[in-house]
Amino acid sequence: MIPSVDRVDVLLSQDELNERISALGAEITARYRGRDLTLVGILKGSALFLTDLMRAIALPLQIDFLELSSYKGGMASTGSVRLVKDLTHSIEGKDVIIVEDIVDTGLTLRYLLQTLATRKPASLATATLLDKPSGRVEGADCDLDFVGFTIPGHFVVGYGLDLAGYFRNLPYVGIYHPEEDS
Ligand code: IMP
């Protein structure tokens, strides 16, 4: 069944997203001047954040993508992470920022940091649009270098984030309220 947008309440408006992402871009620009920057977007959720963030960074940079799966289309984590699509270029010697949509349990990011560290980047940092610290599981505490917004433990959709593949195209981030009986 196609989920209804009537069940979504705006949490972060388009204007709030734009303003915060401009500030993150300026922060990254100041910190990465003179470095060889690669943004690694995690598909599919980070697609909108990555394309807006890269336009807010006033530096030469490259982008690449990885696809993982940790959720099986629902609202609960499966707890295991699988690599679905790997990078197309080497990141050896590059200053890499992993670009995520949201950090919840932290398991995806822990997997990414461990996997990408073995590929000898010059540096490895993390940027996430949303941080949901209440979801963090033991052993998956990770340092986040750039955070857009820290949010409460709701299931959110929009601006790249999905429920069963839907809602990624909403221009805002909203809280999804499930049906009473689901
Ligand atoms: P983690 O491994 O639990 O930190 O989850 C990371 C991934 O789970 C994110 O990249 C999202 O794809 C997905 N996820 C976690 N919380 C939400 C949510 O509230 N809405 C949509 N997707 C989510």
Side-chain angles (χ1 to χ4, degrees):
M1 206 176 74
I2 301 176
S4 168
V5 77
D6 294 346
R7 300 203 151 271
V8 182
D9 280 334
V10 178
L11 177 67
L12 300 164
S13 70
Q14 218 170 334
D15 284 347
E16 287 172 292
L17 291 170
N18 288 342
E19 197 179 316
R20 183 68 191 120
I21 292 166
S22 297
L24 283 178
E27 224 182 294
I28 291 171
T29 302
R31 215 181 295 176
Y32 282 81
R33 201 171 294 284
R35 316 256 295 267
D36 191 356
L37 180 59
T38 298
L39 302 181
V40 171
I42 311 307
L43 295 172
K44 306 180 176 74
S46 77
L48 275 69
F49 178 41
L50 182 112
T51 53
D52 283 342
L53 182 64
M54 67 190 279
R55 279 180 282 200
I57 301 172
L59 296 174
L61 60 80
Q62 295 177 305
I63 61 167
D64 207 340
F65 294 97
L66 262 181
E67 187 165 1
L68 301 170
S69 93
S70 64
Y71 278 52
K72 294 229 159 61
M75 289 173 58
S77 173
T78 58
S80 68
V81 180
R82 199 163 53 91
L83 186 65
V84 175
K85 178 209 168 291
D86 206 343
L87 298 174
T88 45
H89 297 291
S90 165
I91 52 165
E92 189 169 341
K94 306 278 185 186
D95 291 290
V96 172
I97 303 179
I98 298 169
V99 180
E100 261 283 27
D101 52 357
I102 186 165
V103 179
D104 181 14
T105 63
L107 292 170
T108 304
L109 201 57
R110 186 180 67 176
Y111 170 86
L112 285 167
L113 286 166
Q114 284 170 352
T115 304
L116 297 188
T118 65
R119 302 184 186 187
K120 303 189 176 69
S123 65
L124 190 54
T126 55
T128 185
L129 177 68
L130 307 173
D131 181 19
K132 222 164 42 171
S134 60
R136 216 67 100 244
V137 298
E138 231 183 279
D141 269 333
C142 25
D143 284 337
L144 302 173
D145 300 279
F146 304 98
V147 175
F149 302 88
T150 300
I151 62 164
H154 302 288
F155 189 82
V156 289
V157 296
Y159 196 69
L161 291 125
D162 76 306
L163 171 63
Y166 293 98
F167 297 132
R168 293 193 197 277
N169 58 320
L170 297 179
Y172 53 85
V173 172
I175 297 171
Y176 180 77
H177 300 285
E179 309 263 353
E180 291 300 300
D181 58 351
S182 65

